[in-house]
Amino acid sequence: MKIQPAVQQMPGNSGRESTKRGESLARGSSVEAGCPRHDPNPTDGGLLQAALTRENLLLALKRVRSNKGVAGVDGLTIDETVEHLKTAWPLIRRQLLAGEYRPAPVRRVLIPKPGGGERKLGIPTVTDRVIQQALLQVLQPLLDPGFSEHSYGFRPGRNAHQAVLAAQQHIHSGCGIVVDVDLEQFFDCVQHDLLIARLSRTVTDRGVLRLIRAYLNCGTLIGQDIVVDRQGTPQGGPLSPLLANVVLDEVDKELERRGHRFVRYADDANVYVRSPKAGLRVMALLRRLYGRLGLRVNEGKSAVGSAFGRKFLGYGFWLSAQGKIRRWATTKALQTFKQRIRGLTKRNGGRSLEQVIEGLRPYLLGWKAYFCLSQTTAMWRRLDGWIRRRLRAIQLKQWRTGRTIYREVRKMGASPKLAAQTAAQSHRVWHNSAGLIHGVLTVAWFDRMGLPRLI
């Protein structure tokens, strides 16, 4: 089955002259065609028009472009979509305002989970991602201020680090038992009617509500068939995280009303109490609250236990000898990290050491930025040393023969004796990488090569 774009694509320079297209957008000659240049008051029924203003759409397009992402079911890339919208946008806009626009189905993509299984992503077309992003930009300021202060996921000015620090503070206050709740296939189980009902408490623009329901009902392309579910919000669209917070905020507010200490990040929630008995009562309460929303608690991953025995967002907590609560990256996170590093530092990759380091940089910097809260300095030093050892092994392997090793090590300032000893054991690459060569391929040398340190 071939899925057509919302409007028949006009011929053009698809995939070429992206710079010229960007300049054209900056002049306002495509997506915003026919859009007003002012922002209507969203409280007088003009929320949809506010989403479709020129400035809001250009910002949405900029953010979609920065997120990159693959094409949807229409097969159009971001640059090709921009070219397409130069002629198609006026009609799409009229359809949006008239309530006649029908989003294209999402494209199913399966992402392996670290612990096994697959996560289902639904990738909208670039056109629909731009529209959803434009909606998000007007809905978020309206909805976000009403969300619980204990919710940290996918909210402006909030992040996972704040959630981890809040969890640590709850434990420090004496709540050493955690009710760790994981929802089973949350994004697949959201009830559409319930979601729209919750939204309508704040959003009164019927055009916006109608468009959001159209996105919920657009269906998923699986093989040659379009499957339409009456529940669920596909992961992959810009609106999905906000809609998730709309649904789950009801549970947050009830926990607040009862005075519980808790932290929620997306569909991961931890409630901190002082005793196992209190934890069991809270778990029973959460099953009831989530049940009213048509959601199920994943019994295999949820539990009541010591806060020092559970993980949250990749972090765990431990009690130091001084009686202070400390943060650490969990064993599972470290195993995932080392597995990825092994894949990036294979000795038979056919790449120079410079290329290997260049490939490592983004992953190391991203991992360091996320796990910088970990308070295990010795572990970071060990990981830094292990990474450098793997890189030394690559360099030795690439020098191949003892004669080459002797020559190259001497060039780097090694004594004749050191160079000879290293060359004599040229076949023992891993052994040499931790031995005498350590004084030649030093930490400072790797710094000059551009290798980031974890500490």
Side-chain angles (χ1 to χ4, degrees):
M1 166 180 251
K2 185 177 181 181
I3 305 299
Q4 299 293 335
V7 179
Q8 182 65 39
Q9 184 182 8
M10 302 296 289
N13 260 348
S14 84
R16 297 192 298 273
E17 298 181 350
S18 59
T19 302
K20 292 183 179 179
R21 284 197 291 271
E23 293 171 352
S24 176
L25 276 176
R27 293 193 299 269
S29 62
S30 60
V31 175
E32 74 285 355
C35 291
R37 291 177 178 264
H38 65 283
D39 290 343
N41 185 350
T43 61
D44 64 7
L47 192 61
L48 182 56
Q49 290 205 25
L52 300 180
T53 58
R54 172 181 181 272
E55 293 81 3
N56 194 56
L57 284 165
L58 287 177
L59 178 58
L61 178 60
K62 181 179 179 180
R63 289 181 176 170
V64 168
R65 187 184 289 279
S66 68
N67 290 333
K68 299 180 181 179
V70 297
V73 295
D74 60 1
L76 299 182
T77 64
I78 294 176
D79 286 338
E80 290 168 343
T81 298
V82 170
E83 189 71 23
H84 167 62
L85 290 176
K86 287 182 179 180
T87 53
W89 179 251
L91 177 56
I92 293 177
R93 184 175 184 275
R94 287 196 295 271
Q95 291 174 335
L96 287 165
L97 292 174
E100 298 171 354
Y101 180 76
R102 295 296 176 264
V106 298
R107 183 164 72 86
R108 170 65 55 84
V109 175
L110 300 176
I111 306 295
K113 293 183 180 181
E118 294 176 317
R119 177 176 287 108
K120 300 175 184 176
L121 294 185
I123 308 300
T125 63
V126 176
T127 297
D128 285 322
R129 295 210 294 273
V130 171
I131 296 171
Q132 285 194 37
Q133 180 64 39
L135 279 176
L136 176 67
Q137 289 164 188
V138 296
L139 286 173
Q140 191 118 44
L142 189 64
L143 296 169
D144 191 83
F147 292 153
S148 167
E149 64 175 308
H150 304 290
S151 166
Y152 293 88
F154 307 108
R155 297 182 61 188
R158 288 172 169 256
N159 56 45
H161 284 172
Q162 294 170 334
V164 170
L165 292 174
Q168 182 181 17
Q169 184 58 40
H170 292 323
I171 300 170
H172 182 73
S173 69
C175 297
I177 300 297
V178 62
V179 183
D180 185 356
V181 177
D182 182 87
L183 294 177
E184 188 173 341
Q185 297 182 327
F186 165 71
F187 285 93
D188 294 335
C189 297
V190 173
Q191 304 291 324
H192 293 178
D193 290 343
L194 184 144
L195 170 57
I196 296 299
R198 298 298 183 274
L199 269 176
S200 62
R201 294 174 180 175
T202 307
V203 179
T204 58
D205 189 318
R206 294 184 179 180
V208 169
L209 295 174
R210 187 186 303 117
L211 181 56
I212 290 175
R213 189 179 281 277
Y215 276 116
L216 293 173
N217 293 331
C218 69
T220 303
L221 182 66
I222 302 177
Q224 298 296 314
D225 300 320
I226 298 175
V227 178
V228 179
D229 293 319
R230 295 306 172 190
Q231 64 180 30
T233 172
Q235 289 180 268
L239 271 178
S240 292
L242 177 65
L243 299 182
N245 279 330
V246 169
V247 173
L248 295 173
D249 187 64
E250 185 164 320
V251 177
D252 296 344
K253 293 297 173 53
E254 181 60 22
L255 291 174
E256 282 182 350
R257 190 183 71 80
R258 292 170 179 258
H260 287 297
R261 297 173 178 266
F262 70 97
V263 181
R264 181 175 66 80
Y265 191 93
D267 57 336
D268 290 331
N270 278 6
V271 184
Y272 295 88
V273 296
R274 295 182 182 274
S275 70
K277 187 175 181 179
L280 292 174
R281 287 198 301 268
V282 171
M283 180 64 84
L285 169 66
L286 289 173
R287 288 193 184 99
R288 291 197 303 273
L289 294 176
Y290 287 127
R292 292 174 190 171
L293 301 176
L295 304 174
R296 299 186 302 273
V297 172
N298 187 329
E299 301 295 345
K301 295 184 178 180
S302 303
V304 176
S306 169
F308 301 112
R310 305 292 297 180
K311 60 184 178 65
F312 182 55
L313 301 178
Y315 281 89
F317 303 96
W318 57 284
L319 188 63
S320 71
Q322 294 76 31
K324 294 183 179 180
I325 311 298
R326 300 294 188 185
R327 304 174 298 270
W328 63 289
T330 63
T331 302
K332 183 177 179 180
L334 292 174
Q335 288 173 344
T336 301
F337 172 79
K338 296 187 78 170
Q339 183 178 0
R340 182 69 184 276
I341 295 298
R342 288 188 183 100
L344 292 170
T345 56
K346 292 180 179 179
R347 292 178 221 164
N348 56 356
R351 298 165 297 157
S352 67
L353 189 62
E354 291 83 357
Q355 290 173 322
V356 173
I357 291 175
E358 190 61 29
L360 274 174
R361 278 182 60 80
Y363 183 68
L364 288 176
L365 291 173
W367 205 83
K368 179 180 179 179
Y370 185 79
F371 285 103
C372 62
L373 291 183
S374 180
Q375 297 170 296
T376 49
T377 305
M379 181 192 69
W380 295 135
R381 289 200 180 98
R382 287 196 299 271
L383 286 175
D384 267 336
W386 175 73
I387 292 168
R388 287 192 292 268
R389 183 178 180 184
R390 292 191 64 85
L391 294 176
R392 292 187 187 102
I394 291 174
Q395 185 64 83
L396 288 169
K397 179 76 177 291
Q398 291 176 350
W399 283 337
R400 294 180 182 275
T401 65
R403 180 177 297 179
T404 304
I405 290 175
Y406 181 87
R407 182 182 69 244
E408 296 297 330
V409 170
R410 286 284 289 136
K411 283 181 183 178
M412 299 179 74
S415 66
K417 180 180 179 181
L418 172 60
Q421 287 177 328
T422 306
Q425 302 184 68
S426 59
H427 61 288
R428 302 182 67 186
V429 172
W430 184 245
H431 172 79
N432 273 345
S433 65
L436 302 173
I437 198 68
H438 188 279
V440 178
L441 305 183
T442 62
V443 174
W445 184 78
F446 281 112
D447 289 343
R448 292 193 294 272
M449 292 282 286
L451 178 69
R453 295 194 199 183
L454 295 178
I455 189 171

